[in-house]
Amino acid sequence: MSLSSLLFQLKPLLDSFADGTVPQSLPTQVQCLQQMITLLKAHQDLAEYEVARYYVSPQVAPLLAKLSRSSDPRERQLAASGLRYTGTRKSAAQLLRPLMKDPDGGVQARAHSAVEALDITDVALPDRRYRLSRSDSPRAKGGWNPSGWSFGLPLGIPRWQRKKKVHVLPSGLQKKLKLPELSAVEDVAKWLGASSPKSLRRYMRPGTSTGSPYVQFQIPKASGELRQITAPRAALKKIQRQILDQLLAKMPTHAAAHGFVRGRSVLSNAQPHEGAKIVVKMDLRDFFPTIHFRRVRGLFSYYGYSSDVAHVLASLCTYRMRLADRRVIWPGVLPQGAPTSPALANVLCRRLDSRLTGLSQKMGAVYTRYADDLTFSFNKEPERPQQLGRFLWYVDQVCQQEGFTENAKKRRILRSCNQQRITGVVVNSGLHIPRAARHAFRAVLHNCRKHGLASQAKGRKDFASYLLGFASYVKMVQPELGRKLRAEVREILAAEAARKPLS
């Protein structure tokens, strides 16, 4: 087939993507994409094949980006195949990075195949698990090539090819941390107050329908988008709370982790960056869903629990989605809404925090993490402008190797001439609540004093608790101002109570 014949067959398929036409439904676009992949795959030996690829790529790219973020692994597999046959190297590399760390093995395999077929040479940190000889080229496994994107994930590397031995848990660590002694699944059931191991299975059911242990709802983000919350029902929440209090809370976390750690807060996360010349804020994309069942099971195994016990504990802490066609997604992931998810994420991020702390110290920076928010600060300007860019490249690569992907759209570089806000606290000179927030709260108090609480409640069920809570938050950051605001709130609440007739 000639190039003109191939383009003639591709043209009607692209009509569902072309600008200016009536937008087609997603199933129609997916069907057209599959047909285009079939055509391009069958004619990839054509001398002018790259012309056809570049002809298709711009119009197909938005759909491939959407499919790569889909909750259905079949659509993510289609995205990986589509990137191989219709994507350019630059556009494909950006989407293939997270797909190479996908929880689904089929998606991982197709992503690796696409990277090799496109001969992507995007430089990544070496994968230190591989043995390299002096005769090996940089493109060899473990060199400066995309194999480093999947560092930390189980690739089934033969023992003879590994550079390091498998880590063995120090003996006695479980007793030293006073973790519960759980030798078998029966011990887990007894510890959790279940009648038998079989009775625990109902807490591992997939989906959120009737009879499932989870419910789903959405809450608005600050950006206006909706955040999906997967919360456990009361029975499972009680079990997860016990796992958190008696097991996960005893596992050590890194000193750089400040989110959901007892004795630490948004204030302790902001304090190390006070008065910095440069503050860099970064965000990890899909933080909890990135941590899947196999990583959680491996964590419990690391702390000395048998494979069966680790399997049960990991199943109780992860959630498996059920699609509309009743297909169950495996492996499960950390649900955003479970009490155990933040603690598990903090423990699993110990190596990430350790590596980023060491990298920051070499560059004269300070690092802290609050959940998925990474913060770096410099007390002086880098000697050369490119040093900051190089540092951020290393940070991105370390995150890649640890199984996370940076959300580049949320990266912010804040200098001292601008407001430097970290987890809601301004750190330019001292620690302060943002001026706009203080003024807005004072305006609310003024209106409450003049027109009553009901005029400012705006649908809040417990508006009085909100006023006291915000004043207490201000007191934590700015004690003197917070005490004044708390006194004002109490005065307003007392006047409101006196105004209401006794029932």
Side-chain angles (χ1 to χ4, degrees):
M1 177 184 291
S2 63
L3 174 64
S4 58
S5 300
L6 178 58
L7 296 180
F8 183 77
Q9 293 188 41
L10 291 172
K11 178 66 171 63
L13 297 175
L14 285 175
D15 288 342
S16 60
F17 301 93
D19 294 333
T21 62
V22 178
Q24 301 293 327
S25 63
L26 182 61
T28 302
Q29 290 186 342
V30 169
Q31 186 177 7
C32 293
L33 175 63
Q34 291 172 330
Q35 295 178 22
M36 281 188 283
I37 292 174
T38 302
L39 276 173
L40 291 170
K41 183 178 180 180
H43 300 90
Q44 57 183 326
D45 295 333
L46 190 66
E48 300 90 348
Y49 171 75
E50 291 300 323
V51 176
R53 177 199 295 274
Y54 279 87
Y55 173 67
V56 169
S57 179
Q59 299 180 58
V60 178
L63 176 62
L64 293 177
K66 185 175 183 178
L67 293 177
S68 67
R69 300 290 303 276
S70 172
S71 57
D72 190 340
R74 294 168 294 185
E75 293 185 350
R76 299 199 299 273
Q77 289 183 22
L78 178 61
S81 298
L83 290 167
R84 173 176 181 175
Y85 295 106
T86 68
T88 61
R89 286 185 177 88
K90 181 178 180 180
S91 63
Q94 295 175 349
L95 296 177
L96 287 172
R97 280 187 177 189
L99 292 179
M100 289 182 70
K101 298 181 288 294
D102 196 277
D104 185 82
V107 178
Q108 278 191 39
R110 294 203 184 188
H112 277 272
S113 177
V115 167
E116 294 180 0
L118 292 173
D119 194 25
I120 293 177
T121 56
D122 191 1
V123 177
L125 290 177
D127 187 340
R128 297 298 187 184
R129 296 175 300 175
Y130 288 95
R131 295 181 181 272
L132 288 174
S133 63
R134 294 182 179 180
S135 59
D136 288 331
S137 68
R139 290 288 298 164
K141 289 289 186 182
W144 292 81
N145 59 65
S147 65
W149 290 355
S150 54
F151 178 81
L153 301 180
L155 296 178
I157 302 174
R159 184 172 299 179
W160 60 269
Q161 201 175 2
R162 294 174 185 164
K163 186 176 182 179
K164 295 182 179 180
K165 295 181 179 179
V166 178
H167 178 80
V168 179
L169 181 74
S171 59
L173 179 60
Q174 194 178 84
K175 290 185 178 180
K176 181 180 179 180
L177 296 176
K178 298 180 180 179
L179 301 180
E181 296 183 6
L182 307 172
S183 303
V185 180
E186 290 76 12
D187 297 333
V188 178
K190 183 179 179 180
W191 176 59
L192 295 175
S195 58
S196 65
K198 189 175 181 179
S199 64
L200 291 175
R201 294 180 184 176
R202 68 174 180 269
Y203 303 116
M204 307 174 191
R205 293 173 182 168
T208 57
S209 59
T210 304
S212 300
Y214 289 94
V215 294
Q216 270 187 347
F217 55 92
Q218 294 178 328
I219 59 174
K221 297 182 182 179
S223 61
E225 300 177 356
L226 294 177
R227 185 189 304 275
Q228 189 82 13
I229 300 297
T230 306
R233 300 181 193 268
L236 177 58
K237 187 175 183 179
K238 181 180 178 182
I239 289 176
Q240 291 180 345
R241 178 63 64 179
Q242 181 174 342
I243 295 174
L244 171 64
D245 295 337
Q246 300 182 23
L247 179 58
L248 299 178
K250 298 177 182 180
M251 295 180 179
T253 58
H254 197 274
H258 293 265
F260 309 100
V261 179
R262 186 172 297 176
R264 307 177 199 174
S265 63
V266 293
L267 185 63
S268 65
N269 181 64
Q271 280 175 337
H273 309 286
E274 182 181 348
K277 292 289 184 182
I278 300 177
V279 171
V280 180
K281 297 168 62 177
M282 303 173 71
D283 181 84
L284 299 179
R285 192 176 75 184
D286 298 332
F287 183 57
F288 288 136
T290 300
I291 301 174
H292 51 77
F293 170 84
R294 288 191 290 266
R295 298 179 70 176
V296 178
R297 182 181 60 187
L299 172 67
F300 288 120
S301 297
Y302 170 83
Y303 278 94
Y305 292 109
S306 65
S307 58
D308 291 339
V309 171
H311 184 98
V312 171
L313 292 174
S315 299
L316 292 170
C317 296
T318 54
Y319 162 73
R320 290 178 295 156
M321 179 184 294
R322 187 188 292 275
L323 300 179
D325 61 356
R326 309 296 295 171
R327 176 187 173 93
V328 176
I329 303 301
W330 195 91
V333 298
L334 289 188
Q336 189 162 353
T340 50
S341 295
L344 282 168
N346 281 334
V347 178
L348 283 163
C349 285
R350 282 187 62 191
R351 188 171 66 178
L352 170 71
D353 293 333
S354 179
R355 295 181 69 186
L356 291 181
T357 298
L359 175 63
S360 299
Q361 290 174 350
K362 289 182 180 179
M363 294 293 295
V366 177
Y367 161 73
T368 61
R369 180 180 60 83
Y370 193 93
D372 58 348
D373 293 326
L374 314 182
T375 307
F376 305 88
S377 63
F378 298 82
N379 289 325
K380 60 180 181 179
E381 291 275 350
E383 296 180 1
R384 293 176 293 175
Q386 59 267 34
Q387 284 184 337
L388 181 58
R390 186 176 300 171
F391 170 76
L392 296 179
W393 180 87
Y394 271 98
V395 171
D396 178 69
Q397 293 299 322
V398 169
C399 293
Q400 291 282 343
Q401 287 193 339
E402 295 301 324
F404 298 98
T405 303
E406 180 200 355
N407 189 347
K409 294 181 180 179
K410 293 188 176 181
R411 180 188 292 184
R412 298 290 183 270
I413 300 177
L414 308 174
R415 300 185 182 274
S416 56
C417 57
N418 300 316
Q419 186 186 81
Q420 298 172 326
R421 188 187 303 183
I422 301 172
T423 52
V425 180
V426 179
V427 298
N428 290 69
S429 57
L431 302 176
H432 304 281
I433 301 295
R435 182 181 302 172
R438 298 199 308 266
H439 289 181
F441 188 67
R442 285 191 178 277
V444 169
L445 295 183
H446 173 77
N447 292 331
C448 288
R449 189 180 293 108
K450 190 173 182 180
H451 305 290
L453 290 180
S455 65
Q456 300 298 307
K458 297 180 180 179
R460 292 189 179 96
K461 295 181 179 180
D462 198 349
F463 188 56
S465 297
Y466 161 75
L467 295 177
L468 286 171
F470 189 87
S472 299
Y473 169 66
V474 176
K475 183 176 180 293
M476 180 182 68
V477 182
Q478 297 176 251
E480 185 175 351
L481 175 61
R483 281 191 289 269
K484 292 180 181 179
L485 291 178
R486 280 176 63 90
E488 289 185 39
V489 171
R490 288 197 181 99
E491 182 183 345
I492 292 172
L493 294 179
E496 184 75 12
R499 190 180 302 122
K500 288 182 179 179
L502 294 175
S503 56

